[in-house]
Amino acid sequence: MKKVFFSLFTLLIIISSCKPEIKPTKKPKLVVGIVIDQMRYDYLTKFMNRYGDNGFKRLLNGGFSLKNAHYNYIPTYTAVGHTSIYTGATPFSHGIISNNWYDKFLKETIYCVDDKNYKTIGNDDNYGQKSPYRLNTTTVADQLQLAQNKRGKTIGIAIKDRSAILPVGHTASGAYWYQGSKANQWISSSFYMDNLPEWVTTFNKNSKADAYLSKPWKTLYDIKTYTNSRADNNDFEKPFNGNTNPVFPKDIPNIKSKNGNYSIISSIPAGNSFTADFAKAAIIGENLGKSETNTDFLAVSFSSTDYIGHRYGVAAVETEDTYLRLDKDLANFFSFLDKEVGKDNYTLFLTADHAAVHVPSYLQSLKIPAHYIRTRKMRSYIDSLTLKHFNSDKLIENISNYQIFLDKKELEKLKLDKNIIAEKIVDEIVNYPEIYKAVSAKTLQTTNFTSGILNALQNGYNQKLSGDVMLIPLPATLGSGRKGTSHGSGYSYDTHVPIIFYGNGIQKGSSSKKYNITDIAPTISTLLDIEFPNGTTGKVIEEVLKN
């Protein structure tokens, strides 16, 4: 018996000594988050044969792509998307419920990052009176700062203020956005700093925008090769002021003054190039990715894709040309990262803050169901309902973002129960032609929807901030004019976006499994071995990570 025991014991020692040593992956020196505003997933596949090898294809071939990634809440707007990417949470907890929303306490419509407690850094205008104070939770950038006791740097960059501010959260080293019009400056807020760093001042003095706006926007290639898009001249796109038709070439120097002066750069592909230029300047100016002991974080959002998408739509030559040019900008940026930070020293993810629907009038021309809804007309309809059932047409305080806010003072004066009013509106409003579903706040608070579009609605509902009745329009329904497009729904054309991870610690491959946008933050947190953002509801995408 002793011999048997000794033999087994010896064998266990031998087996344990043969185990391969698992070496932890070295943490990246820099994490780069790239958000492309309004990028649909199918822009990857639709334009694939026209992309070069070193932009989107480099990420797809060398990184890990999620083919079935979606937003899991309503509404799919810019501020909400950027916040959810970096918090791993939905409006249910992070509190950014739209770009603008009706504040039922202030009784006015507010903008997500406005904050008069701070001043503009860069000039004397009020364009920089911003902060992330309405964001209730931390971001992955905040958690990195906490983990490293603020020894690393976190920087947010975008033409749009909300897209620069919300990703890097409350503890950022800096957030910068572009003020066009007559200013032509990258600016910040006194929330972050007292003065612009020297590298920002130098960049502004160089006035790269002038070079970009000194030439017309022509297609990158022969316009006849843009076969992925509809005809250039059509009735579904909005021309610039000063132009009769939305056609190429676009004489930017001569129409600049009629289209916001320097602000026009946001509505042409050069806005993306301009943003990439500023991001490179930030990496050099802040020495990002140079520390031997700490990880830095750079959040870059390309906003021009959204402005262009809104104006021209999903199937436009302008949209195709914008993505072909962006592909070149990305290739150049990745090459810059290789040189300045080192190929093995950075981790990158690329995604979008939402997608977009085809122009509804274009869909109608193809006999595909699509609709336009008029809020004022719907308001009159709802007022007629409350007048009919409760003898008052003054019960509605506000309708916005497909939410109905009841006037609590009026209800109290008339001694009416808000839940009874809300449920009656829910029962009746679904008879309105463009409305598909309606749910009361009470139902969202007491019922758990585990899947489908009502689950998305519930994830986007915030008990403290949202309205008393939530509406869901029919698919392909917009409230704007018949030219151009928008987003905001929980349908797949708005929710399906690319998510690609690349670089240090990332596997090569792809997956068609369903993942949510809220899974990015916990995955990056796991890579960095830091605590998740404090409102996270997403999960770690294990197949993306090495080891």
Side-chain angles (χ1 to χ4, degrees), residues 82-83 86 111-115 127-135 139 141-142 155-158 160-172 174-177 187-189 191-192 299 301:
H82 282 78
T83 305
Y86 287 90
Y111 178 59
C112 57
V113 292
D114 274 350
D115 191 343
Y127 205 68
Q129 291 185 308
K130 316 289 179 184
S131 86
Y133 88 96
R134 288 189 174 91
L135 172 58
T139 69
D142 283 323
I155 306 287
I157 291 169
K160 294 181 180 179
D161 48 25
R162 57 188 180 271
S163 305
I165 292 169
L166 295 169
V168 286
H170 310 275
T171 59
Y176 303 95
W177 52 98
I187 62 170
S188 190
S189 162
F191 177 86
Y192 303 102
S301 180

Side-chain angles (χ1 to χ4, degrees), residues 381 385 389-390 419-432 435 437-440 443 469 471:
Y381 176 78
L385 291 179
H389 294 286
F390 304 103
N419 292 322
I420 293 175
I421 308 297
E423 291 299 340
K424 176 55 70 173
I425 292 174
V426 166
D427 290 341
E428 297 280 357
I429 195 64
V430 290
N431 296 319
Y432 196 75
I435 296 300
K437 287 183 180 294
V439 183
S440 69
T443 297
V469 175
L471 307 176

Side-chain angles (χ1 to χ4, degrees), residues 265-390:
I265 199 170
S266 66
S267 298
I268 61 176
N272 293 326
S273 306
F274 190 41
T275 301
D277 291 339
F278 190 76
K280 293 173 191 174
I283 290 171
I284 294 173
E286 298 288 348
N287 291 312
L288 299 182
K290 298 296 185 181
S291 173
E292 294 298 325
T293 55
N294 301 305
T295 299
D296 297 320
F297 202 112
L298 176 66
V300 183
S301 180
F302 291 99
S303 304
S304 293
T305 44
D306 184 66
Y307 290 106
I308 293 165
H310 277 292
R311 181 177 292 274
Y312 301 105
V314 172
V317 174
E318 288 85 352
T319 299
E320 181 175 352
D321 193 64
T322 296
Y323 278 87
L324 297 182
R325 291 177 180 275
L326 177 59
D327 183 59
K328 290 183 177 294
D329 286 331
L330 291 175
N332 185 276
F333 185 57
F334 300 155
S335 177
F336 174 86
L337 288 172
D338 294 343
K339 179 181 177 181
E340 292 296 324
V341 182
K343 285 186 177 181
D344 299 323
N345 292 329
Y346 66 89
T347 302
L348 179 150
F349 66 85
L350 180 148
T351 187
D353 57 344
H354 53 74
V357 65
H358 277 279
V359 179
S361 59
Y362 172 61
L363 294 177
Q364 289 172 347
S365 75
L366 301 176
K367 300 182 180 179
I368 295 174
H371 315 273
Y372 289 96
I373 191 168
R374 297 289 177 261
T375 302
R376 287 184 180 179
K377 184 177 179 181
M378 185 173 67
R379 170 67 183 263
S380 297
Y381 176 78
I382 296 171
D383 285 342
S384 70
L385 291 179
T386 61
L387 181 63
K388 174 183 176 181
H389 294 286
F390 304 103

Side-chain angles (χ1 to χ4, degrees), residues 392-420:
S392 175
D393 58 0
K394 296 180 174 58
L395 304 185
I396 307 302
E397 186 169 278
N398 180 270
I399 300 177
S400 54
N401 293 319
Y402 292 109
Q403 299 181 42
I404 300 173
F405 294 82
L406 298 176
D407 188 327
K408 305 304 191 301
K409 287 186 177 179
E410 188 69 15
L411 295 183
E412 186 176 345
K413 184 174 74 174
L414 298 175
K415 296 182 180 180
L416 295 171
D417 187 318
K418 70 172 184 177
N419 292 322
I420 293 175

Side-chain angles (χ1 to χ4, degrees), residues 23 37 39 66 195 270 281 299 372 379 451 460 467 470 479 492 521:
K23 295 181 180 180
D37 204 321
M39 183 177 183
L66 306 181
N195 298 286
Y372 289 96
R379 170 67 183 263
S451 62
M470 315 288 281
S492 62

Side-chain angles (χ1 to χ4, degrees), residues 7 70 93 112 116 123 151 194 267 273 298 315 373 389 430 502 541:
S7 298
H70 289 262
S93 56
C112 57
K116 292 182 180 179
N123 58 51
R151 286 191 289 266
D194 296 323
S267 298
S273 306
L298 176 66
I373 191 168
H389 294 286
V430 290
Y502 177 88
I541 310 170

